[in-house]
């Protein structure tokens, strides 16, 4: 590990207990910064309501850390939108945001569009499939942005159990993202959960970043933020244990392909020879090929979007 990273692990890796809530609130009042929480959601009716309820109770009503909770529904066919609204979130459909630009499927697309329907100086992203959710996930990653002026982006780190075994979640991280980062961007080797969906950042940084539309958004954001603001502006906070719905092996393969593509573009800013991934499923006595396209689109920095510029002027 680079000496720079070893130092970073000491200086920029914290625990949620390092910043009591009263200290974070004092910093929020002193700086006057506002906080938006965004949940990208697709068919998460079983979990999204509990997450919104916990954040609203702990960090909006009981303690005024969060100023708005926005759920961006990316085309759910279940009751995600209704459940989220009933729990107290502002619900916006992905297709209602920037309608002149047709939306494409993907998590990164939703996160990018969320910048147009939120107002916070700090934007906190939380996945909508978490179980046994704690508001520490929010306060933990927002805290450093309120207390450390030089910090621009904070990732949550946590244990990810799989099938009762501690630390066995995050298979795409261990098999794809971590090797890529260690080999090509060793300054980022200290991130425990580089692909984790729980992170917070200053709007002033997010609006300057391109957003891969799909699963590559977290890796792309880390790499681009490193180049834009440097390692010392990035941090991570231990928030405990993350429980969520695990994907099957083939879905993880598609995620891995998108992440590799995101890395490849940043290495060469070139093009994939074949932006597709073929997988196989057994059908009777045979294996049937299934080919999926790999996300090949990225959204530009939000500062280049006319509607966003107009909103800032207003």
């Amino acid at each position: 590990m680079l000496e720079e990273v070893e130092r970073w692990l000491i200086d920029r890796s914290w625990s949620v207990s390092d910043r009591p809530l009263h200290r974070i609130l004092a910093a929020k009042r002193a700086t006057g910064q506002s906080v938006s929480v965004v949940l990208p959601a697709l068919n998460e009716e079983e979990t999204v309501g509990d997450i919104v309820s916990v954040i609203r109770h702990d960090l909006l009503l009981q303690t005024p850390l969060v100023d708005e909770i926005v759920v961006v529904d990316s085309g759910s066919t279940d009751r995600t939108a209704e459940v989220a609204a009933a729990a107290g979130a502002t619900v916006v459909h992905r297709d209602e945001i920037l309608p002149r630009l047709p939306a494409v499927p993907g998590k990164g697309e939703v996160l990018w569009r969320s910048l147009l329907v939120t107002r916070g100086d700090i934007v906190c992203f939380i996945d909508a499939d978490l179980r046994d959710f704690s508001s520490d996930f929010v306060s933990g990653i927002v805290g450093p942005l309120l207390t450390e002026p030089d910090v621009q982006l904070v990732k949550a780190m946590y244990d990810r159990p799989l099938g009762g075994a501690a630390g066995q979640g995050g298979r795409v991280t261990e098999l794809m993202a971590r090797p890529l980062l260690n080999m090509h961007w060793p300054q980022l080797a200290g991130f425990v959960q580089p692909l984790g969906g729980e992170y917070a950042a200053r709007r002033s940084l997010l609006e300057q970043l391109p957003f891969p539309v799909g699963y590559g958004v977290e890796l792309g954001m880390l790499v681009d933020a490193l180049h834009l603001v440097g390692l010392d502006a990035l941090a991570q906070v231990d928030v405990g244990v993350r429980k969520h719905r695990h994907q099957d092996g083939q879905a993880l393969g598609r995620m891995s392909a998108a992440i590799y593509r995101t890395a490849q573009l940043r290495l060469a800013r070139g093009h994939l020879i074949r932006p597709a991934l073929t997988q196989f499923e057994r059908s009777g006595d045979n294996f049937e090929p299934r080919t999926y396209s790999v996300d090949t689109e990225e959204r530009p920095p939000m500062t280049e979007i006319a509607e966003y510029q107009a909103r800032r002027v207003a």
Side-chain angles (χ1 to χ4, degrees):
M1 183 176 290
L2 296 176
E3 182 178 340
E4 179 184 6
V5 177
E6 293 179 349
R7 178 191 55 75
W8 179 85
L9 282 169
I10 296 172
D11 294 341
R12 288 289 186 260
S13 293
W14 296 296
S15 168
V16 66
S17 61
D18 290 335
R19 289 175 180 78
L21 197 52
H22 67 83
R23 180 186 168 197
I24 300 173
L25 281 173
K28 184 177 191 288
R29 287 191 292 267
T31 61
Q33 297 179 88
S34 55
V35 177
S36 299
V37 175
V38 172
L39 282 74
L42 176 62
N43 294 329
E44 303 294 356
E45 67 175 357
E46 293 184 5
T47 51
V48 68
D50 289 341
I51 298 172
V52 170
S53 294
V54 169
I55 298 172
R56 185 170 184 270
H57 175 269
D58 293 358
L59 302 179
L60 198 154
L61 300 178
Q62 192 172 69
T63 304
L65 178 64
V66 170
D67 297 282
E68 63 177 349
I69 306 169
V70 178
V71 171
V72 182
D73 186 351
S74 58
S76 298
T77 56
D78 64 2
R79 297 181 60 252
T80 290
E82 294 89 336
V83 170
T90 299
V91 179
V92 185
H93 194 282
R94 173 199 63 197
D95 296 346
E96 297 172 356
I97 308 170
L98 201 62
R100 72 168 175 84
L101 193 64
V104 296
K107 179 183 179 183
E109 177 83 352
V110 174
L111 300 184
W112 182 72
R113 288 175 185 260
S114 75
L115 297 181
L116 271 163
V117 292
T118 54
R119 294 284 181 177
D121 302 301
I122 294 170
V123 182
C124 174
F125 298 120
I126 300 290
D127 280 351
D129 65 342
L130 303 188
R131 301 183 183 277
D132 300 331
F133 180 77
S134 167
S135 59
D136 285 349
F137 274 70
V138 175
S139 59
I141 56 179
V142 167
L145 293 166
L146 291 169
T147 61
E148 309 291 333
D150 296 334
V151 172
Q152 297 282 317
L153 183 149
V154 182
K155 296 278 294 190
M157 56 176 167
Y158 32 68
D159 183 39
R160 296 180 67 180
L162 176 63
Q168 295 303 305
R171 291 161 287 173
V172 175
T173 293
E174 300 303 331
L175 297 175
M176 175 60 71
R178 201 177 308 285
L180 281 172
L181 292 176
N182 275 263
M183 287 187 291
H184 299 296
W185 297 281
Q187 287 178 295
L188 298 174
F191 277 94
V192 176
Q193 298 291 352
L195 299 185
E198 293 71 45
Y199 48 99
R202 301 191 191 281
R203 176 177 295 273
S204 57
L205 170 63
L206 293 172
E207 65 187 13
Q208 297 181 70
L209 298 177
F211 277 60
V213 297
Y215 286 120
V217 63
E218 275 85 22
L219 183 134
M221 191 176 296
L222 264 187
V223 171
D224 293 340
L226 173 68
H227 290 302
L228 191 62
V229 296
L231 181 60
D232 281 343
L234 313 180
Q236 60 184 349
V237 174
D238 187 351
V239 296
V241 179
R242 183 187 198 266
K243 298 179 182 179
H244 66 116
R245 182 187 68 250
H246 290 283
Q247 304 262 17
D248 63 35
Q250 294 207 331
L252 297 181
R254 296 190 290 274
M255 291 172 62
S256 297
I259 289 163
Y260 178 77
R261 176 262 170 192
T262 301
Q264 186 266 345
L265 277 185
R266 278 153 180 77
L267 286 168
R269 291 295 173 184
H271 300 281
L272 285 176
I273 296 173
R274 179 177 178 267
L277 175 72
T278 298
Q279 298 176 318
F280 294 87
E281 298 177 5
R282 181 175 286 282
S283 176
D285 295 331
N286 300 312
F287 285 98
E288 296 290 337
R290 300 284 188 271
T291 299
Y292 302 88
S293 61
V294 174
D295 298 318
T296 57
E297 189 170 355
E298 296 195 5
R299 294 305 190 188
M302 190 57 77
T303 51
E304 297 179 10
I305 300 300
E307 288 88 340
Y308 190 79
Q309 296 172 4
R311 193 190 75 161
R312 295 179 70 183
V313 171

